[in-house]
Amino acid sequence: MTTTTMTATTWGRSAFVAGPGCMAVYGLVRLMDTERGPGAAWSIGHLFLLAGVLFFAPVLLGLRRLVARQSGAQRAVGTGAAALGLVGVAALAVQAGIDLLVAYVSADHEAMRELFARIQGVPGVMPVIYTVVPLLFYVGLLVLLGQLAVLRVISAWRPLAVVAGAVAMTATLDLLPVAALLFLLALAPLGRRVPVGKAGPLRSAGWGTAGG
């Protein structure tokens, strides 16, 4: 194994802990931020949110590698699920980036509200960045975990824990630290099980190798 491969593998496996961990930090900072931006708390929290979202890209690719060890049909479904999840990750990353930019250029909370309203009023922005496409992240993640549970590679409670976390976040963002803990319990041990080797179709399509 080359040094580059070892580094990518270590980084990708660490993402299974770092992704939920950054989500938890964002959730805790958000609870302490009574002003809801702009300010240091908003910026720090959203930087952790952005980092957490990006860490889930290698998580999706790593889970896809676990699925890819199975039959051809399972590999195809896993590749499609990972691709959907990555599209959702991209939308969430753009959302976090917008939150950071709006806070940076706004003088106060009212200015932030006005700018958010203008941005979200652009046709297509709400479904693509805020309401529909981001859900593909959860769809891709749950399909991959569901596959692994059906194949008895992982325990059935792991995808259920992620479902519970997603439901908690949907109910209220105040439960984000709880959701992050559920994600951490479900995903953290799986990073050590990600195989090292060729990434398969996603690699050849240019998705990268961070999951290994």
Side-chain angles (χ1 to χ4, degrees), residues 137-176:
F137 161 66
Y138 299 102
V139 172
L141 181 62
L142 288 171
V143 169
L144 286 165
L145 289 172
Q147 279 186 280
L148 292 171
V150 168
L151 294 167
R152 301 195 177 190
V153 176
I154 64 173
S155 301
W157 69 265
R158 295 189 186 278
L160 293 177
V162 172
V163 169
V167 170
M169 280 188 286
T170 302
T172 172
L173 286 178
D174 289 345
L175 292 176
L176 188 53

Side-chain angles (χ1 to χ4, degrees), residues 30-172:
R30 182 183 177 279
L31 288 175
M32 294 184 289
D33 182 15
T34 57
E35 297 181 1
R36 292 291 190 266
W42 176 279
S43 298
I44 292 170
H46 281 78
L47 284 172
F48 273 99
L49 172 62
L50 179 58
V53 167
L54 294 177
F55 273 124
F56 272 97
V59 168
L60 290 163
L61 292 171
L63 292 174
R64 182 240 164 222
R65 283 195 172 192
L66 286 173
V67 172
R69 303 168 74 176
Q70 310 303 317
S71 66
Q74 294 290 349
R75 284 198 297 271
V77 173
T79 297
L84 285 177
L86 290 170
V87 171
V89 164
L92 288 167
V94 171
Q95 185 181 141
I98 290 174
D99 289 350
L100 284 165
L101 180 61
V102 167
Y104 180 75
V105 301
S106 299
D108 52 34
H109 187 72
E110 186 60 32
M112 284 180 62
R113 290 181 58 185
E114 293 178 2
L115 186 51
F116 272 128
R118 287 167 53 192
I119 292 172
Q120 294 172 2
V122 176
V125 167
M126 282 300 291
V128 173
I129 305 301
Y130 289 94
T131 59
V132 179
V133 177
L135 296 178
L136 295 179
F137 161 66
Y138 299 102
V139 172
L141 181 62
L142 288 171
V143 169
L144 286 165
L145 289 172
Q147 279 186 280
L148 292 171
V150 168
L151 294 167
R152 301 195 177 190
V153 176
I154 64 173
S155 301
W157 69 265
R158 295 189 186 278
L160 293 177
V162 172
V163 169
V167 170
M169 280 188 286
T170 302
T172 172

